[in-house]
Amino acid sequence: MNTFNTTWQQKKWKLILAASIVTAGTAPALLSSTVVEAAAVHQPAAYINNVPAEYDVVIRQGVTYVALTELKFLGDYTFGYNNQTKQISIRTENDNYVLFPNSKNIKKNGQAATLSSAPILVNGKAMLPLRAISKAFGAQVRWNQAAKEAYIYTPSESVTRDYGSSDLTIAREAALSLPRFSELKQTRLEIRNPLGPVDSSMTYIFEKGQKDRFFVIEDNDLISYYEIKNGAALLKWQANVGSAAGTIGDLFFIKTKAVAEAGKRPSVAGQTLVSFQYSRMLEETSYEVMNKSGSIDSGSTAPQKDKIIVAVPEEN
């Protein structure tokens, strides 16, 4: 499944202004007394193929549950629940699953199997344990205890293959669709004041000639930094920025001060960055090559269908 396209489908109201990828080694986060870390107490969350779960995540006796209908983010699933028999049915093009709340028994295409934990009902909604999703539906599951975040994903052979491409444009596009996991030791920061459907934006930043680390800037408010390892993008650092002019370490592409930081702040000292901005309204990508001194090159062109990254002449 193409995660980037899935995100578009779930958030059609968003204008996605895309991308630039950055950077190199990391340096410890330098926090002033005005910087506020995220609250220690928070509700558990889940991400299914990088899409935030629509419903609350439930933890019961050490078992983490997500709503049955969240499986739709894993593929083409249809669901049914018979209130009289309490039977839960899940169908795909090729498979049929039958299971019941409070029972570890499951049938896949008529073949019986046993789950490690039973599904439950919460306020009339069927909830599945994470490990059951992994075993029964072939998904991969990861859990960040410190952040209380679950990640459910189906590895994509095509995305993995494209990320390994020698064509930098193809590899960068694939990088945006790799599974994303937080390595923060706390809950992730959030956009404080989301922009409306017309003004909402997202920016990605890559280091010139590279594909293995990137920043994401959402609504000119939340900045997230990822490093790619073993086929996944790992969230290493985040910051909320304010309106006051200033800087954050050597991240020269940021022109305002941080009001909150989490994780280990990266460094872009001495680096040249490539920026890509895709406008759904204009259906074109604007790119810019920049360093600490300013802009080196810029331009715009139409990307391939459902893509945002384009070839940059400065890199050829």
Side-chain angles (χ1 to χ4, degrees), residues 247-266:
T247 59
I248 304 177
D250 60 24
L251 305 181
F252 59 83
F253 59 93
I254 303 172
K255 307 299 183 183
T256 55
K257 294 181 179 179
V259 297
E261 288 188 67
K264 187 176 182 180
R265 183 190 300 165

Side-chain angles (χ1 to χ4, degrees), residues 4 16 23 37 71 95 156 202 287:
F4 184 73
I16 298 179
T23 188
E37 290 287 351
L71 289 180
D95 298 310
S156 169
M202 186 175 291
Y287 63 82

Side-chain angles (χ1 to χ4, degrees), residues 3-304:
T3 307
F4 184 73
N5 290 341
T6 300
T7 304
W8 270 8
Q9 293 169 2
Q10 302 304 322
K11 300 180 179 180
K12 291 182 179 178
W13 53 267
K14 268 200 170 185
L15 286 177
I16 298 179
L17 302 179
S20 26
I21 272 202
V22 145
T23 188
T26 57
L30 305 177
L31 304 178
S32 70
S33 59
T34 61
V35 175
V36 180
E37 290 287 351
V41 179
H42 56 278
Q43 295 298 315
Y47 296 83
I48 302 91
N49 277 341
N50 294 346
V51 180
E54 293 182 336
Y55 302 101
D56 289 341
V57 176
V58 174
I59 299 179
R60 296 279 178 85
Q61 296 180 333
V63 178
T64 304
Y65 297 84
V66 297
L68 167 69
T69 50
E70 304 290 8
L71 289 180
K72 66 187 178 184
F73 299 124
L74 291 179
D76 187 15
Y77 288 86
T78 57
F79 314 97
Y81 178 66
N82 188 314
N83 193 47
Q84 292 183 335
T85 65
K86 308 302 181 185
Q87 176 179 293
I88 300 169
S89 61
I90 307 170
R91 294 182 178 87
T92 68
E93 183 178 355
N94 300 314
D95 298 310
N96 182 35
Y97 302 85
V98 175
L99 58 165
F100 296 87
N102 304 315
S103 172
K104 295 181 180 181
N105 297 323
I106 183 173
K107 286 187 177 182
K108 178 180 179 181
N109 301 327
Q111 298 296 313
T114 303
L115 302 174
S116 58
S117 301
I120 60 175
L121 289 180
V122 177
N123 297 325
K125 182 173 291 295
M127 309 288 289
L128 294 182
L130 287 183
R131 297 303 170 189
I133 294 175
S134 175
K135 180 177 180 179
F137 305 103
Q140 302 293 315
V141 173
R142 291 179 62 164
W143 173 254
N144 180 329
Q145 177 61 32
K148 288 187 170 57
E149 289 184 354
Y151 314 101
I152 309 165
Y153 62 101
T154 47
S156 169
E157 292 183 3
S158 62
V159 170
T160 301
R161 180 182 64 250
D162 286 350
Y163 181 70
S165 173
S166 59
D167 186 319
L168 187 58
T169 302
I170 294 175
R172 284 174 170 170
E173 191 72 48
L176 304 183
S177 292
L178 291 171
R180 296 183 186 179
F181 310 129
S182 172
E183 288 200 337
L184 301 179
K185 302 303 181 183
Q186 63 171 75
T187 182
R188 66 180 68 195
L189 303 180
E190 298 181 349
I191 301 174
R192 295 164 303 156
N193 298 298
L195 300 177
V198 175
D199 298 323
S200 183
S201 66
M202 186 175 291
T203 300
Y204 300 87
I205 303 176
F206 288 77
E207 180 184 350
K208 182 180 178 181
Q210 302 299 318
K211 63 179 182 180
D212 59 353
R213 44 182 74 91
F214 61 93
F215 291 90
V216 181
I217 305 176
E218 300 177 73
D219 286 356
N220 299 315
D221 178 291
L222 178 64
I223 305 170
S224 303
Y225 169 69
Y226 294 86
E227 293 181 357
I228 296 175
K229 293 182 180 179
N230 300 321
L234 307 178
L235 178 61
K236 297 286 191 175
W237 172 82
Q238 286 188 310
N240 287 119
V241 294
S243 58
T247 59
I248 304 177
D250 60 24
L251 305 181
F252 59 83
F253 59 93
I254 303 172
K255 307 299 183 183
T256 55
K257 294 181 179 179
V259 297
E261 288 188 67
K264 187 176 182 180
R265 183 190 300 165
S267 170
V268 297
Q271 301 299 324
T272 297
L273 311 179
V274 182
S275 164
F276 305 89
Q277 293 185 325
Y278 176 77
S279 168
R280 293 189 67 189
M281 184 177 296
L282 299 177
E283 296 184 343
E284 70 176 18
T285 295
S286 297
Y287 63 82
E288 181 180 14
V289 182
M290 56 186 173
N291 60 22
K292 186 175 182 180
S293 298
S295 180
I296 298 172
D297 189 19
S298 63
S300 62
T301 187
Q304 293 184 13

